[in-house]
Every structure is written in C-alpha cells, then in structure tokens.
Amino acid sequence: MSRAEQLQNASRLWEEHLRAVFPAGLRGVEPAGIDMVLLDASVAGCVSTWLNNAGSLDPARSRILQAGIEDLDRVLLEITEAQELRYFQRLRQLAVLVSAASRAATREGF
C-alpha cells in the first residue's frame, strides 16, 4: 500500500471514528484493568498527530500507540456488545494502520 493510500485509508477510518459516539456502557469501565475512555483518547491523540504531521510520529507517540494496540488486544477479548465491539475494533484497525505506516516512513527516511 502506498503512502498516499495509507493516509487516505487512515483519514477515512478517522472520520468514521470521529462521527461515532463513544459507547456509553464503557464509560468508567475498566475491562482487563484498562480505562476505556483513556485508551480511546490516547490512541486517538496519536492518530490525530500522525494525520496532522503528514504520516509522521515521534518515538514517544509511537510507543504510546503500540501500548494502545496491546491494550486494545486485551480489552477486545472482553467486549461482547456489538456497538462497543465495532467502535473499538475500528480504533484498533486505525491504530495498527498508523503504527505500520509510521514505522515504514521511519525506515524510508520520511
């Protein structure tokens, strides 16, 4: 996938995520000991930064994003409600896309 396609796909997913309402049933809930609101905010902050910096993340945000993916992997095993699952699956898809694209850009010297 080209850099332009990565940006386009991430932008589309990001717009979907921004339009989605945070699942009310997960406010103040900590499956696997993970605060869902904080998880959403930290991953979203990294994605927003990546999109605003034309596909670039600094090392600290890359680590935050990777930790977010690991946390998403844990909580997705515990979410059973369909809307909640869709919301966090999309967030994980977005995080994985941004993380992979950011690593590729770093290797290519962007």
Side-chain angles (χ1 to χ4, degrees):
M1 181 181 309
S2 74
R3 187 167 175 77
E5 289 171 321
Q6 291 169 331
L7 284 166
Q8 184 179 22
N9 288 343
S11 294
R12 179 187 53 78
L13 283 171
W14 180 240
E15 288 302 319
E16 287 177 28
H17 189 71
L18 291 176
R19 285 192 304 270
V21 175
F22 186 90
L26 291 177
R27 291 189 193 283
V29 175
E30 295 185 8
I34 298 165
D35 182 304
M36 299 303 287
V37 173
L38 183 58
L39 175 59
D40 182 47
S42 64
V43 171
C46 292
V47 170
S48 176
T49 298
W50 183 82
L51 286 168
N52 290 327
N53 289 328
S56 177
L57 273 185
D58 60 79
R61 284 190 181 86
S62 291
R63 286 189 298 276
I64 291 167
L65 187 59
Q66 188 56 47
I69 292 168
E70 293 167 10
D71 286 349
L72 284 162
D73 287 343
R74 285 195 292 281
V75 299
L76 283 170
L77 296 173
E78 298 190 23
I79 298 174
T80 58
E81 198 277 325
Q83 178 198 8
E84 295 170 354
L85 196 54
R86 275 192 307 276
Y87 184 93
F88 282 97
Q89 284 173 331
R90 180 183 47 249
L91 184 63
R92 184 188 182 283
Q93 182 182 5
L94 187 54
V96 168
L97 174 64
V98 167
S99 179
S102 182
R103 282 192 312 272
T106 298
R107 283 191 306 270
E108 296 168 6
F110 285 103

